[in-house]
Amino acid sequence: MDLHYKSTRDSNVNVTASQAILAGLAPDGGLFVPNYIPSLDVSLDELKSMDYQQTAYAVMKQFLTDFTEEELKDCIEKAYDDKFDTESIAPLVKIDNTYYLELFHGATIAFKDMALSILPHLLTTAAKKNQADNEIVILTATSGDTGKAAMAGFADVEGTRIIVFYPKDGVSKVQKLQMTTQKGNNVDVVAIHGNFDNAQSGVKAMFEDRELAKELNGKGIQFSSANSINIGRLIPQVAYYVYACAKLLENGEIKEGEKIDVVVPTGNFGNILAAYYAKKMGLPIDKLVCASNENKVLFDFLKTGTYDKNREFVLTSSPSMDILISSNLERLIYLITGEDSEKTKALMEALKQNGRYEISDDMYEKLSDITGGYATEEQTADEIKRVYEKTGYVIDTHTAVASYVCNKTCSDDKKCIIASTASPYKFVKSVMTAIDKKYTDADEFALLETLCEISKTQMPQAIKDILDAEIIHTAECDVDKMKETVKNILSL
């Protein structure tokens, strides 16, 4: 059965995987979802001997059915190569009795590399498959990591341009430098005077703007997305959960069929949704735990069935999770409505109009395999210190949120994987200050060498690259000027 994609807001939409990747967002503003979640056609026992590239192919071929074997394998080989500093791509590290799935060994030392290394290749292949002659403009909002990973992936890729919006005061110093020093003749970066939700809403509004689309098409341009609203971002993320479970089996840590828990730090709900898809494909996952920081809109939703973004926006030490509008949750909402696009659309309209919606009891019952937890700023810092002092292992702020939640919600009689989403070097000031308050007033970059010493790890190339790099991008704009800014960049 050939797998196609529909819109969460219009089930009459029916496109191929390549068409969904190319469009990024459905014409009605909905997100593309597969018309069914396929099962893995290989057992975990067969998967355990596969390397990352082979595992990725085993997963992605199930979802991207209009890509040929040659096309998909070519995309995978180009993506998961020596850009990663470890041959295993996503090593599973056992620390004490917990397994940290290290997703930060790519070019920008954050988990976004796992999908954004392959998305440019999927997108350009999709363009050729669909005879798309337009220049593809990647329009993206970032809370810190997506932007750099997307820019690194798309820099100087023929037939593409990329425009990234980020919250001026909502990213770490390292994240900001990674973006503002990015080279590439097709790259533009803009700081907005607002938060990530403002950036994300502005980008989505441009995707939904029919007049703008018409104007772009007249100039031979079309938008696509590198955010996780693009199904081409989400599907590659499923692969690393499959890989992690297979490695547990290979290493004798679990038996065939033994259930495990997975804890994911998430703000936009994409990373944990990928784990949910992996479970539906047949992985032996029992409980999925959504770990939130003080912007705990997802925790409150999972606890009460009411999604309410009408609250104070908190700037935390885990900025990639500082999000109040979790876009990818729409895909899960669609599933628990029984794939009712009208009901999903009504809930999303309520969110847009009133900032909140409430799901029915029947829908809430379908959330039984996902639970939530959250960590305060103090608890996050304490967890970094606890793990370091007990084991010598240094984790970043986002991973610490998940680690704290894992200790509070997961039982000792079940193995648990924590998605470790960023290198501690990316948030060095917060990490070092958590370990010892004496570093509070130290210069952020001076602490990098200290982190090398205490963690007994080498400084990532991504950090070395920005230390003396020239700042190229200085553009800023108000939230209500985002569309005007894009038109100026594109000379419309």
Short mmCIF file of all heavy atoms in Angstrom, two decimals, residues 40-67:
data_model
loop_
_atom_site.label_atom_id
_atom_site.label_comp_id
_atom_site.label_asym_id
_atom_site.label_seq_id
_atom_site.Cartn_x
_atom_site.Cartn_y
_atom_site.Cartn_z
N LEU A 40 7.55 -1.32 10.95
CA LEU A 40 8.88 -1.73 10.51
C LEU A 40 8.78 -3.10 9.85
O LEU A 40 8.07 -3.97 10.36
CB LEU A 40 9.83 -1.79 11.70
CG LEU A 40 10.35 -0.45 12.24
CD1 LEU A 40 10.96 -0.64 13.62
CD2 LEU A 40 11.36 0.16 11.29
N ASP A 41 9.48 -3.28 8.74
CA ASP A 41 9.42 -4.59 8.08
C ASP A 41 10.65 -5.44 8.41
O ASP A 41 10.89 -6.47 7.78
CB ASP A 41 9.25 -4.43 6.56
CG ASP A 41 10.43 -3.72 5.90
OD1 ASP A 41 11.35 -3.28 6.62
OD2 ASP A 41 10.43 -3.62 4.66
N VAL A 42 11.42 -4.99 9.40
CA VAL A 42 12.54 -5.78 9.92
C VAL A 42 12.41 -5.84 11.44
O VAL A 42 11.90 -4.91 12.06
CB VAL A 42 13.91 -5.19 9.54
CG1 VAL A 42 14.23 -5.45 8.08
CG2 VAL A 42 13.99 -3.71 9.84
N SER A 43 12.86 -6.92 12.03
CA SER A 43 12.76 -7.07 13.49
C SER A 43 13.90 -6.29 14.17
O SER A 43 14.90 -5.95 13.54
CB SER A 43 12.87 -8.54 13.87
OG SER A 43 14.17 -9.03 13.60
N LEU A 44 13.73 -6.06 15.46
CA LEU A 44 14.78 -5.40 16.23
C LEU A 44 16.04 -6.27 16.24
O LEU A 44 17.16 -5.75 16.24
CB LEU A 44 14.28 -5.17 17.67
CG LEU A 44 14.81 -3.92 18.39
CD1 LEU A 44 14.56 -2.66 17.59
CD2 LEU A 44 14.18 -3.80 19.77
N ASP A 45 15.85 -7.58 16.20
CA ASP A 45 16.98 -8.50 16.16
C ASP A 45 17.79 -8.32 14.87
O ASP A 45 19.01 -8.41 14.88
CB ASP A 45 16.48 -9.94 16.28
CG ASP A 45 17.61 -10.92 16.55
OD1 ASP A 45 18.35 -10.71 17.53
OD2 ASP A 45 17.77 -11.87 15.76
N GLU A 46 17.09 -8.05 13.77
CA GLU A 46 17.78 -7.78 12.50
C GLU A 46 18.42 -6.39 12.51
O GLU A 46 19.50 -6.18 11.97
CB GLU A 46 16.80 -7.89 11.33
CG GLU A 46 16.28 -9.29 11.05
CD GLU A 46 15.14 -9.28 10.05
OE1 GLU A 46 13.99 -8.97 10.42
OE2 GLU A 46 15.41 -9.59 8.87
N LEU A 47 17.74 -5.45 13.14
CA LEU A 47 18.22 -4.07 13.17
C LEU A 47 19.48 -3.90 14.02
O LEU A 47 20.29 -3.01 13.78
CB LEU A 47 17.13 -3.14 13.72
CG LEU A 47 15.99 -2.79 12.77
CD1 LEU A 47 14.77 -2.30 13.55
CD2 LEU A 47 16.43 -1.72 11.77
N LYS A 48 19.65 -4.78 15.02
CA LYS A 48 20.74 -4.57 15.98
C LYS A 48 22.13 -4.61 15.33
O LYS A 48 23.07 -4.01 15.85
CB LYS A 48 20.66 -5.58 17.13
CG LYS A 48 21.01 -7.01 16.76
CD LYS A 48 20.87 -7.95 17.96
CE LYS A 48 21.30 -9.37 17.60
NZ LYS A 48 21.09 -10.31 18.71
N SER A 49 22.26 -5.29 14.21
CA SER A 49 23.56 -5.37 13.55
C SER A 49 23.76 -4.28 12.50
O SER A 49 24.80 -4.20 11.85
CB SER A 49 23.74 -6.74 12.90
OG SER A 49 22.71 -6.97 11.95
N MET A 50 22.75 -3.44 12.30
CA MET A 50 22.83 -2.39 11.28
C MET A 50 23.53 -1.15 11.81
O MET A 50 23.41 -0.81 13.00
CB MET A 50 21.42 -1.99 10.81
CG MET A 50 20.68 -3.07 10.06
SD MET A 50 19.10 -2.41 9.41
CE MET A 50 18.35 -3.92 8.79
N ASP A 51 24.26 -0.44 10.92
CA ASP A 51 24.82 0.85 11.32
C ASP A 51 23.74 1.92 11.19
O ASP A 51 22.60 1.63 10.82
CB ASP A 51 26.07 1.20 10.50
CG ASP A 51 25.81 1.35 9.00
OD1 ASP A 51 24.64 1.55 8.60
OD2 ASP A 51 26.78 1.27 8.22
N TYR A 52 24.11 3.17 11.51
CA TYR A 52 23.09 4.21 11.54
C TYR A 52 22.47 4.44 10.17
O TYR A 52 21.24 4.59 10.03
CB TYR A 52 23.65 5.55 12.08
CG TYR A 52 22.53 6.51 12.38
CD1 TYR A 52 21.87 6.45 13.60
CD2 TYR A 52 22.07 7.41 11.42
CE1 TYR A 52 20.78 7.28 13.86
CE2 TYR A 52 20.99 8.24 11.67
CZ TYR A 52 20.36 8.17 12.90
OH TYR A 52 19.27 8.97 13.15
N GLN A 53 23.29 4.45 9.14
CA GLN A 53 22.80 4.70 7.79
C GLN A 53 21.82 3.62 7.34
O GLN A 53 20.77 3.91 6.75
CB GLN A 53 23.98 4.79 6.81
CG GLN A 53 24.87 6.01 7.01
CD GLN A 53 25.93 5.80 8.09
OE1 GLN A 53 25.90 4.82 8.85
NE2 GLN A 53 26.89 6.71 8.16
N GLN A 54 22.13 2.37 7.65
CA GLN A 54 21.23 1.27 7.29
C GLN A 54 19.91 1.35 8.06
O GLN A 54 18.84 1.08 7.51
CB GLN A 54 21.93 -0.07 7.57
CG GLN A 54 23.11 -0.35 6.64
CD GLN A 54 23.96 -1.51 7.14
OE1 GLN A 54 24.12 -1.74 8.34
NE2 GLN A 54 24.54 -2.26 6.20
N THR A 55 20.01 1.71 9.32
CA THR A 55 18.80 1.87 10.14
C THR A 55 17.93 3.00 9.61
O THR A 55 16.71 2.87 9.51
CB THR A 55 19.18 2.16 11.61
OG1 THR A 55 20.07 1.14 12.08
CG2 THR A 55 17.94 2.21 12.49
N ALA A 56 18.57 4.11 9.26
CA ALA A 56 17.84 5.26 8.72
C ALA A 56 17.08 4.87 7.46
O ALA A 56 15.92 5.25 7.27
CB ALA A 56 18.80 6.41 8.44
N TYR A 57 17.73 4.07 6.61
CA TYR A 57 17.06 3.64 5.38
C TYR A 57 15.87 2.73 5.70
O TYR A 57 14.78 2.87 5.12
CB TYR A 57 18.03 2.91 4.45
CG TYR A 57 17.35 2.38 3.20
CD1 TYR A 57 16.92 3.27 2.21
CD2 TYR A 57 17.09 1.02 3.03
CE1 TYR A 57 16.25 2.80 1.08
CE2 TYR A 57 16.44 0.55 1.90
CZ TYR A 57 16.02 1.44 0.93
OH TYR A 57 15.34 0.99 -0.17
N ALA A 58 16.05 1.80 6.65
CA ALA A 58 14.98 0.87 7.03
C ALA A 58 13.74 1.61 7.53
O ALA A 58 12.61 1.19 7.29
CB ALA A 58 15.48 -0.10 8.10
N VAL A 59 13.96 2.74 8.20
CA VAL A 59 12.85 3.54 8.72
C VAL A 59 12.26 4.44 7.64
O VAL A 59 11.06 4.45 7.39
CB VAL A 59 13.32 4.40 9.92
CG1 VAL A 59 12.21 5.38 10.35
CG2 VAL A 59 13.72 3.51 11.09
N MET A 60 13.13 5.20 6.98
CA MET A 60 12.64 6.23 6.07
C MET A 60 11.98 5.68 4.81
O MET A 60 11.07 6.30 4.26
CB MET A 60 13.78 7.20 5.72
CG MET A 60 14.12 8.14 6.86
SD MET A 60 15.25 9.46 6.33
CE MET A 60 16.70 9.02 7.24
N LYS A 61 12.41 4.51 4.37
CA LYS A 61 11.79 3.94 3.15
C LYS A 61 10.31 3.64 3.39
O LYS A 61 9.52 3.61 2.45
CB LYS A 61 12.53 2.67 2.71
CG LYS A 61 12.30 1.47 3.63
CD LYS A 61 12.91 0.20 3.08
CE LYS A 61 12.59 -0.99 3.97
NZ LYS A 61 13.13 -2.25 3.47
N GLN A 62 9.94 3.41 4.65
CA GLN A 62 8.54 3.12 4.98
C GLN A 62 7.65 4.35 4.82
O GLN A 62 6.46 4.23 4.56
CB GLN A 62 8.44 2.59 6.41
CG GLN A 62 9.21 1.31 6.68
CD GLN A 62 8.64 0.14 5.90
OE1 GLN A 62 9.07 -0.14 4.79
NE2 GLN A 62 7.64 -0.51 6.46
N PHE A 63 8.24 5.53 5.04
CA PHE A 63 7.48 6.78 4.99
C PHE A 63 7.62 7.51 3.65
O PHE A 63 6.68 8.15 3.20
CB PHE A 63 7.95 7.73 6.10
CG PHE A 63 7.51 7.34 7.48
CD1 PHE A 63 8.35 6.63 8.32
CD2 PHE A 63 6.26 7.71 7.95
CE1 PHE A 63 7.96 6.29 9.60
CE2 PHE A 63 5.85 7.38 9.24
CZ PHE A 63 6.71 6.66 10.06
N LEU A 64 8.79 7.42 3.05
CA LEU A 64 9.08 8.20 1.83
C LEU A 64 8.99 7.28 0.63
O LEU A 64 9.97 6.99 -0.06
CB LEU A 64 10.46 8.85 1.95
CG LEU A 64 10.72 9.64 3.25
CD1 LEU A 64 12.10 10.26 3.24
CD2 LEU A 64 9.65 10.73 3.46
N THR A 65 7.78 6.82 0.35
CA THR A 65 7.60 5.72 -0.60
C THR A 65 7.74 6.12 -2.06
O THR A 65 7.83 5.24 -2.92
CB THR A 65 6.23 5.05 -0.38
OG1 THR A 65 5.20 6.04 -0.47
CG2 THR A 65 6.15 4.37 0.97
N ASP A 66 7.74 7.40 -2.37
CA ASP A 66 7.93 7.75 -3.77
C ASP A 66 9.39 8.08 -4.10
O ASP A 66 9.71 8.44 -5.22
CB ASP A 66 7.00 8.89 -4.21
CG ASP A 66 7.35 10.23 -3.59
OD1 ASP A 66 7.76 10.25 -2.41
OD2 ASP A 66 7.20 11.27 -4.27
N PHE A 67 10.28 7.95 -3.10
CA PHE A 67 11.72 8.04 -3.35
C PHE A 67 12.21 6.65 -3.75
O PHE A 67 11.85 5.66 -3.11
CB PHE A 67 12.47 8.50 -2.10
CG PHE A 67 12.35 9.97 -1.80
CD1 PHE A 67 11.16 10.51 -1.31
CD2 PHE A 67 13.42 10.83 -2.01
CE1 PHE A 67 11.04 11.86 -1.03
CE2 PHE A 67 13.31 12.19 -1.73
CZ PHE A 67 12.12 12.70 -1.24
#
